Amino acid sequence: MQAQSEKPDLPFLVAEPRRVYEFDLQHLWSRTPRGLLMRDTRNREITVLSPGTWNVEAGPDFKNARIRIGGKTVKGDIEVHYRESDWIHHGHQDDPNYENVILHLVTVDDLAGKNSPCDHVVIINAENCPPIESDEKKFPAGRCASYFSSLNNPQVAELLVAAGRLRFRRKTEHVLEDMLTHGAEPACLKMVFDAAGFKRNRESFAELFNRFMAYSPEDREKYYSAILWGESGLLPDPAAGKLAPEMSKFVESCWKDWWKLRQEPHPDLNWRRDGVRPLNFPERRLAALTVVLEKTGANPVKFLKDAAKKHNSPEDFQKFLVDDFTCHHPLWDSFTGFSEPRAKSAAVFGTSRSIELSVNALLPALTAYGRLKSIPELSKFAEKTWFKLPSPGDNRLIKTALHRWLFPPERIGKLKRSAAVCQGIIHLYREYCESAGTDCAACLLYNSI
């Protein structure tokens, strides 16, 4: 659930039945058939051309949907809430991520047409919510399943690795361009900050990176922790609120250095906790970032270049990266906030996150650096290491894609996974399924095979 800071007085609030949650409503909408006719709260006729792609990242619940209103086809996003007023409660009216919402689906019209935040609101019947089913029924096979069925599992893996290679090279070209503009270390650091952001807080970590880089290289290297905690706005006043004893010492230490370093104040960062597991709260992601900076001396390119020289094979180097960047913090392993410790500790940067950091930031940056400095053997070594990385595990996007592509579902468990295969799945799904709003008839990939 989202944190609700200021709740305006809203009329006609209705108690929400415990058995109906937004996920149930999202599940219901995901099964909407093409061509369904509906009417919004102003009695305007709407035809569903595509319900869109169920979004697994920050932002609206469904992306790239297509509907027809008054004879005009409209493409955009769809947001699902139990009550219409939840749009206001969740602060979407001030969030640019929701500017492209074309349809607001609700069960309770508690605004009754007054100050409605969306032009098109449709009431859906919560009683029609189907029971949660197995993944293969939640995400039915698309038309591409017929093509994938003609391939054996090694051929599927080969196709996905090729797509993963394309995704990797695009990342490399992007960071190389950034290195040419801003320098190698800042470009790599920017990618590390982005990886720390993880879904819902990427924008805030991007802004935190900009603030961090405003300090001198000497201060960034020596006082990285105090700068990051201070500029993040997450550091509490040691005299206000209840802090755990261990946290009191940590907060006081940060403030001691931060008071000497702090520059002019900035607007508060928009840290998001809605839909975020406590283990991924901004405080823990920031703590993980400080551990990475400590390991690399806030100069990740130099660290990677020196480490690559010490390893004879891509297999050894990838193992080193995964093991070394599985980060523990002496304090934040046991906390998700500043007050109460967790019952069970957990690494601030576990193995799957370590793999993702190497996949999305470290190795693309090292490959780009080799190209920048005309060291082809370094680029080749980094790229080969990237293809040796194991799978970080499946997320919902990967599960959705595989259930749409592979039939029967038993094939999914037999597909040999690697980081390259997972990146290939992400590339194909976003490039084709998402851009077509999961409307197979409009998919460029399907129409080309």
Side-chain angles (χ1 to χ4, degrees):
M1 299 292 290
Q2 285 186 312
Q4 299 176 4
S5 52
E6 294 185 6
K7 298 181 181 180
D9 292 328
L10 296 168
F12 316 117
L13 291 181
V14 180
E16 179 176 348
R18 288 188 179 181
R19 73 174 194 84
V20 177
Y21 299 95
E22 285 186 6
F23 180 80
D24 300 310
L25 303 177
Q26 293 165 5
H27 183 206
L28 176 63
W29 178 253
S30 71
R31 297 160 60 92
T32 300
R34 276 73 172 170
L36 178 70
L37 293 177
M38 307 183 300
R39 289 192 178 274
D40 67 9
T41 52
R42 300 181 186 179
N43 201 35
R44 291 171 293 190
E45 187 174 274
I46 296 173
T47 304
V48 180
L49 302 179
S50 170
T53 304
W54 201 341
N55 183 27
V56 297
E57 305 289 346
D61 296 309
F62 292 84
K63 306 284 286 185
N64 301 311
R66 291 190 300 124
I67 59 178
R68 184 178 294 120
I69 305 173
K72 181 181 179 181
T73 298
V74 181
K75 183 177 180 179
D77 305 328
I78 291 175
E79 179 67 2
V80 180
H81 286 125
Y82 183 77
R83 305 180 183 89
E84 187 180 358
S85 61
D86 287 340
W87 182 284
I88 301 171
H89 282 262
H90 295 176
H92 296 335
Q93 68 276 13
D94 300 318
D95 190 337
N97 288 323
Y98 293 82
E99 290 178 352
N100 197 36
V101 170
I102 57 175
L103 197 62
H104 190 199
L105 304 172
V106 303
T107 294
V108 178
D109 180 20
D110 58 332
L111 295 181
K114 300 177 181 178
N115 301 316
S116 180
C118 293
D119 187 40
H120 296 284
V121 180
V122 170
I123 308 298
I124 56 178
N125 188 351
E127 298 300 321
N128 290 337
C129 287
I132 301 302
E133 300 168 325
S134 59
D135 283 342
E136 59 264 27
K137 291 187 177 180
K138 276 195 287 184
F139 308 113
R143 290 188 183 180
C144 274
S146 60
Y147 170 71
F148 281 103
S149 295
S150 69
L151 305 176
N152 58 37
N153 281 351
Q155 289 172 324
V156 171
E158 183 180 0
L159 170 65
L160 295 176
V161 166
R165 189 185 301 274
L166 178 58
R167 181 172 170 83
F168 171 77
R169 290 182 174 170
R170 286 186 180 179
K171 284 181 182 290
T172 300
E173 290 167 2
H174 175 76
V175 69
L176 177 58
E177 183 178 338
D178 216 15
M179 285 181 174
L180 288 167
T181 305
H182 302 292
E185 293 292 1
C188 185
L189 270 177
K190 184 178 179 180
M191 296 183 77
V192 171
F193 273 69
D194 181 72
F198 186 62
K199 294 185 178 180
R200 292 186 179 265
N201 283 302
R202 280 205 164 101
E203 290 183 5
S204 293
F205 269 97
E207 174 58 26
L208 183 59
F209 166 78
N210 293 332
R211 297 181 186 185
F212 181 69
M213 295 305 294
Y215 290 81
S216 70
E218 295 77 17
D219 284 345
R220 295 200 305 266
E221 191 170 337
K222 185 176 181 180
Y223 299 108
Y224 58 87
S225 183
I227 293 172
L228 290 176
W229 283 104
E231 288 288 358
S232 72
L234 295 170
L235 196 62
D237 184 341
K242 182 181 178 182
L243 300 178
E246 307 94 320
M247 280 295 173
S248 293
K249 296 178 182 178
F250 173 78
V251 170
E252 288 174 5
S253 175
C254 287
W255 273 110
K256 182 180 178 181
D257 290 331
W258 173 237
W259 275 113
K260 297 181 296 184
L261 298 165
R262 63 188 304 181
Q263 299 179 355
E264 61 183 64
H266 297 286
D268 292 341
L269 294 174
N270 181 30
W271 295 111
R272 301 188 61 177
R273 290 177 171 79
D274 55 296
V276 177
R277 296 172 58 224
L279 287 178
N280 287 322
F281 274 2
E283 291 85 353
R284 278 180 56 89
R285 304 300 293 177
L286 184 54
L289 177 60
T290 63
V291 175
V292 172
L293 295 185
E294 181 180 11
K295 284 181 177 292
T296 63
N299 292 289
V301 173
K302 181 180 183 303
F303 173 87
L304 292 169
K305 181 180 61 172
D306 293 343
K309 291 179 181 179
K310 299 175 183 178
H311 293 84
N312 296 323
S313 69
E315 291 84 357
D316 290 342
F317 190 37
Q318 71 86 12
K319 187 176 186 306
F320 163 76
L321 291 176
V322 173
D323 292 345
D324 202 54
F325 283 96
T326 298
C327 302
H328 291 272
H329 191 285
L331 181 61
W332 281 99
D333 276 11
S334 301
F335 285 84
T336 56
F338 288 91
S339 56
E340 297 292 334
R342 287 176 47 81
K344 185 178 180 181
S345 65
V348 290
F349 226 63
T351 301
S352 63
R353 296 284 179 262
S354 176
I355 296 171
E356 289 174 354
L357 178 67
S358 297
V359 167
N360 295 312
L362 302 181
L363 290 173
L366 187 59
T367 304
Y369 178 79
R371 292 174 59 186
L372 179 71
K373 297 297 183 179
S374 299
I375 314 174
E377 62 274 15
L378 180 61
S379 290
K380 290 178 182 178
F381 185 76
E383 186 169 351
K384 288 179 179 178
T385 301
W386 191 89
F387 283 98
K388 295 295 182 181
L389 286 168
S391 168
D394 291 351
N395 56 31
R396 198 161 92 184
L397 183 151
I398 291 175
K399 288 180 180 178
T400 302
L402 291 179
H403 279 289
R404 290 186 64 81
W405 298 342
L406 296 184
F407 187 84
E410 290 76 21
R411 291 189 67 187
I412 294 171
K414 298 176 182 178
L415 181 66
K416 188 176 180 180
R417 309 292 175 83
S418 65
V421 166
C422 292
Q423 289 290 295
I425 293 169
I426 293 170
H427 172 77
L428 290 178
Y429 191 82
R430 287 184 170 163
E431 192 81 2
Y432 297 103
C433 291
E434 282 192 353
S435 63
T438 66
D439 182 3
C440 292
C443 177
L444 294 176
L445 178 63
Y446 173 76
N447 288 305
S448 67
I449 57 178

